[in-house]
């Protein structure tokens, strides 16, 4: 839906419509990271240490795959909090993202270990806020994505004591979903 909206916007393009493309890209990146977390084994290995999420407040309606719709057609009050929080979380994750993903944690310097632990604490705290905001959004798909991001952040935080390079994907899923929602919030104001 967001890719189609971007393509359709090109005839009368305005810069704010880039958020259609950003949402579409974040969705594709999310899928890729979920697959990487599964293929690398970290999703399965860490799932047992994360309590199951509560059921959704309302199930998402089944849409027509031939006519997909944007999951967030208008920005609500949750978006006003979400967008700056996503930017802050992304900025805070930069030291972790700068770590070489191929270096085994047993070869981390004390500084690298501190970055990993700080990121785990940041993601663990963000998980609570993301899920709470998602559940309060009044939008079932928004809630689903926010809850999924929270679960991946919780899995990442739980992985730190026995962290492996494959666990990086858990954090990446959370970040991609966070970006997906933020971009969709910003796309909701595009014409």
């Amino acid at each position: 839906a967001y890719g189609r909206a971007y393509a359709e916007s090109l005839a009368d393009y305005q810069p704010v419509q880039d958020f259609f493309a950003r949402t579409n890209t974040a969705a594709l990146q999310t899928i890729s990271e979920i697959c990487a977390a599964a293929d690398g084994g970290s999703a399965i290995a860490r799932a047992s240490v994360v309590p199951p999420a509560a059921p959704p407040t309302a199930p998402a309606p089944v849409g027509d795959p031939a006519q997909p719709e944007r999951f967030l057609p208008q920005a609500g009050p949750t978006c006003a909090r979400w967008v700056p929080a996503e930017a802050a979380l992304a900025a805070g994750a930069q030291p972790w993202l700068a770590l070489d993903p191929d270096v085994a944690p047993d070869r981390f310097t004390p500084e690298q270990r501190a970055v990993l632990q700080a990121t785990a604490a940041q993601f663990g705290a963000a998980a609570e806020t993301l899920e709470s905001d998602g559940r309060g959004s009044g939008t079932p798909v928004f809630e689903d994505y926010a809850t999924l991001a929270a679960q991946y952040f919780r899995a990442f935080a739980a992985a730190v004591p026995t962290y492996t390079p494959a666990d990086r994907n858990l954090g990446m899923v959370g970040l991609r979903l966070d970006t997906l929602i933020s971009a969709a919030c910003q796309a909701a104001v595009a014409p």
Side-chain angles (χ1 to χ4, degrees):
Y2 286 90
R4 288 180 182 175
Y6 182 70
E8 291 167 4
S9 76
L10 294 178
D12 188 25
Y13 175 77
Q14 297 174 29
V16 71
Q17 293 164 328
D18 279 350
F19 289 106
F20 294 141
R22 290 180 189 182
T23 305
N24 191 62
T25 300
L28 294 171
Q29 291 171 331
T30 297
I31 293 167
S32 176
E33 293 295 350
I34 288 172
C35 290
D39 289 347
S42 60
I44 293 169
R46 305 304 182 178
S48 64
V49 298
V50 178
T57 55
V62 177
D64 179 0
Q67 296 294 323
E69 296 179 17
R70 292 184 275 164
F71 75 91
L72 197 58
Q74 59 188 22
T78 304
C79 284
R81 292 187 306 276
W82 195 283
V83 172
E86 181 270 335
L89 185 61
Q94 288 306 307
W96 170 70
L97 291 169
L99 295 176
D100 184 344
D102 296 324
V103 172
D106 61 349
R107 298 184 64 206
F108 277 180
T109 65
E111 293 80 15
Q112 291 169 320
R113 174 64 59 185
V115 165
L116 178 65
Q117 291 171 337
T119 302
Q122 186 179 30
F123 287 175
E128 301 309 314
T129 303
L130 296 177
E131 185 170 356
S132 175
D133 281 351
R135 292 189 184 281
S137 71
T139 305
V141 176
F142 187 131
E143 179 181 342
D144 287 349
Y145 289 160
T147 301
L148 185 61
Q151 289 297 91
Y152 273 93
F153 278 152
R154 289 180 182 117
F156 178 89
V160 167
T162 57
Y163 187 83
T164 69
D167 292 318
R168 177 182 174 90
N169 298 115
L170 301 171
M172 292 305 297
V173 172
L175 288 173
R176 298 297 188 210
L177 283 161
D178 193 16
T179 299
L180 168 65
I181 295 168
S182 179
C185 281
Q186 293 170 86
V189 301

